Amino acid sequence: MQTNAAGSSFGISWGVDNNIKTPYSEVFNLSIQRELPGGFTLEAAWAGRFGRRLLQQSDIATPLNLLEPKSGTTYFQASAQLAALVDQNGGKGATVPAIAYFENMFPQLATGGLSATQNIYNKEFTTYRKVLGETTALADLDFYCVYGCPASAPTNRFFQGQFSSLYAWTTNGSASYNAGQFSWEVFNLSNSVRFDKISSNLTSGTFGNYSSTLTTSRRMQFSLRYSF
């Protein structure tokens, strides 16, 4: 059972992790080139960038993901099932099957000839799923006991009593980028001689003749880059 700190009001607050560290990133690259017969050249390259200790906000007052032992289901699993039913029905009222987690954790809501799951669906999830979120619904059910608390369980089982939300800057983030590049090059693909310009010197005995070849061979390059 969670208890409220003196003077607390189940507030929404923000802060900074006192163990925050300096973010950093590292860059690596590797390339291999191989000359093949017939004027072919093949090259493969990889580049990577890895960020560590990146800044991100975390809600350190997130509700507990309590396991209900009879059904073997956690709160996150059960609420995901109920949220999916809200989406499936377009956020409107509908008859939904009983979910053992809600039946066992909130038996006091099985009233009016309806299951606890049905009442939670009607009164909380259809209202808050698209607006304030399922956390608001859970606060009504557990912290505020809007519909009464289960006689066999204490109030405030899911929340840390002092905060309903406590977002803090942390350096728990990470990011990874990898890129690969493959290049294939062919020089003088047709394997033919390439002549230089024709001699245009009218006083030369070589006028109109080719006297040399180009030093730069023909080149065709095909490249493919795959990034992930």
Side-chain angles (χ1 to χ4, degrees):
M1 175 179 178
Q2 303 288 342
T3 57
N4 290 359
S8 68
S9 58
F10 197 47
I12 298 175
S13 190
W14 293 264
V16 177
D17 185 355
N18 63 338
N19 294 315
I20 202 165
K21 299 177 181 179
T22 303
Y24 69 92
S25 64
E26 297 176 324
V27 178
F28 302 90
N29 60 76
L30 173 69
S31 63
I32 300 175
Q33 187 178 79
R34 175 78 175 180
E35 184 176 352
L36 303 174
F40 293 90
T41 301
L42 180 65
E43 181 177 357
W46 165 81
R49 181 176 184 136
F50 307 99
R52 296 295 182 264
R53 299 178 182 172
L54 302 182
L55 285 169
Q56 68 176 19
Q57 280 191 313
S58 299
D59 186 359
I60 58 179
T62 299
L64 295 177
N65 188 26
L66 290 181
L67 172 69
E68 197 285 302
K70 291 183 180 179
S71 64
T73 307
T74 65
Y75 168 69
F76 291 166
Q77 291 172 327
S79 62
Q81 286 180 265
L82 201 54
L85 290 170
V86 175
D87 295 342
Q88 179 181 319
N89 297 319
K92 300 177 181 179
T95 301
V96 297
I99 296 174
Y101 187 93
F102 295 114
E103 302 302 317
N104 297 333
M105 292 293 284
F106 304 100
Q108 78 280 9
L109 270 85
T111 60
L114 301 176
S115 67
T117 305
Q118 186 69 63
N119 278 321
I120 293 172
Y121 176 91
N122 294 342
K123 298 176 180 180
E124 293 291 333
F125 269 63
T126 54
T127 302
Y128 296 122
R129 163 69 173 148
K130 299 295 186 181
V131 184
L132 298 177
E134 296 87 338
T135 303
T136 299
L138 182 61
D140 284 348
L141 297 172
D142 177 67
F143 187 85
Y144 296 113
C145 285
V146 172
Y147 310 100
C149 291
S152 60
T155 182
N156 196 16
R157 293 171 290 175
F158 292 82
F159 291 92
Q160 191 275 349
Q162 189 174 1
F163 301 102
S164 62
S165 177
L166 177 57
Y167 277 97
W169 283 106
T170 70
T171 47
N172 295 329
S174 64
S176 300
Y177 170 80
N178 293 275
Q181 180 174 333
F182 301 90
S183 297
W184 172 57
E185 297 179 349
V186 184
F187 297 90
N188 195 13
L189 181 62
S190 61
N191 198 29
S192 59
V193 177
R194 299 187 66 202
F195 294 101
D196 206 342
K197 297 180 180 179
I198 298 175
S199 174
S200 58
N201 187 349
L202 295 175
T203 61
S204 172
T206 60
F207 173 74
N209 297 331
Y210 290 106
S211 59
S212 61
T213 59
L214 288 173
T215 56
T216 303
S217 60
R218 289 180 180 175
R219 175 176 176 176
M220 181 189 75
Q221 177 174 309
F222 170 78
S223 64
L224 173 66
R225 172 173 289 183
Y226 173 68
S227 300
F228 58 95

